[in-house]
């Protein structure tokens, strides 16, 4: 792998999990620079604000020198053209991810034929992790310490404590 090439790792990161961070770690060893691009899609409802998702990723990757966390809205292919970076990193957990990720990779290449998608497989211990499952566990009062960095764990506790307070007060 050419160490002088940068790559973009896009995603919702709502919130970032240890699975996402495993992919960031792996890709930071393969490329000279990784741009973690946090999506802000107006058609999607996020649990955490864009600002919070960027902040949590910055905190959890600050030990890595070649990572930059940014946000973008609109078409990913347009964003890649704007920053002149055409390698996309995506994580592949299981067969269930494959169909969607395959379609997405082909669509991005159709939109701009310079775009190449590279799939990285997380360590086995993260293969079952998803942001939505972590939120479900946190919402039901479960311990998320093994699944997310500590800054995210704190944020999950705060978010779901506020929600349950709101429900009790109603
Ligand atoms: P999106 O809405 O773009 O799918 P996600 O934050 O859910 O955003 O995922 C971003 C990328 O990270 C996707 O390629 C997804 O497959 C990958 N990913 C999510 N969770 C994990 C995990 N536990 N291990 C490896 N890759 C993951």
């Amino acid at each position: 792998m050419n160490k002088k090439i940068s790559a973009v790792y896009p995603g919702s990161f709502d919130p970032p999990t240890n699975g996402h961070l495993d992919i960031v770690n792996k890709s930071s060893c393969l490329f000279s620079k990784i741009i973690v691009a946090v999506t802000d899609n107006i058609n999607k409802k996020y649990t955490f604000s864009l600002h919070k998702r960027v902040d949590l990723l910055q905190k959890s990757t600050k030990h890595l020198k070649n990572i930059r966390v940014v946000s973008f809205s609109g078409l990913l292919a347009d964003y890649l053209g704007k920053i002149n970076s055409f390698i996309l990193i995506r994580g592949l957990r299981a067969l269930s991810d494959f169909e969607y990720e395959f379609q997405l990779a082909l669509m991005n290449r159709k939109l701009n034929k310079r775009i190449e998608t590279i799939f990285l497989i997380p360590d086995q211990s993260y293969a079952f992790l998803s942001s939505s499952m972590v939120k479900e566990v946190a919402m039901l009062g479960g311990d998320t310490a093994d699944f997310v960095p500590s800054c995210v764990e704190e944020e999950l506790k705060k978010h779901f404590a506020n929600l349950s307070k709101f429900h009790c007060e109603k």
Side-chain angles (χ1 to χ4, degrees), residues 9-13 19-20 23 44 90-91 93 97 101 122 126 129:
Y9 178 31
S12 307
F13 306 106
H20 290 125
I23 299 296
K44 238 178 169 177
R90 295 287 287 178
R93 281 161 293 190
D97 275 343
E101 293 292 341
Y126 305 124
L129 260 186

Side-chain angles (χ1 to χ4, degrees), residues 5-67:
I5 293 183
S6 63
V8 177
Y9 178 31
S12 307
F13 306 106
D14 188 35
T17 68
N18 291 342
H20 290 125
L21 295 175
D22 188 45
I23 299 296
V24 172
N25 271 311
K26 285 179 172 29
S27 44
S28 82
C29 301
L30 296 171
F31 294 95
S32 59
K33 184 172 162 196
I34 298 296
I35 298 161
V36 180
V38 185
T39 53
D40 193 27
N41 180 343
I42 47 164
N43 295 316
K44 238 178 169 177
K45 206 172 165 338
Y46 299 101
T47 303
F48 294 102
S49 70
L50 178 65
H51 174 77
K52 182 59 73 186
R53 289 179 282 136
V54 168
D55 179 55
L56 291 171
L57 274 165
Q58 272 165 346
K59 283 184 181 143
S60 351
T61 57
K62 65 172 188 283
H63 58 290
L64 296 168
K65 291 279 161 284
N66 60 342
I67 305 293

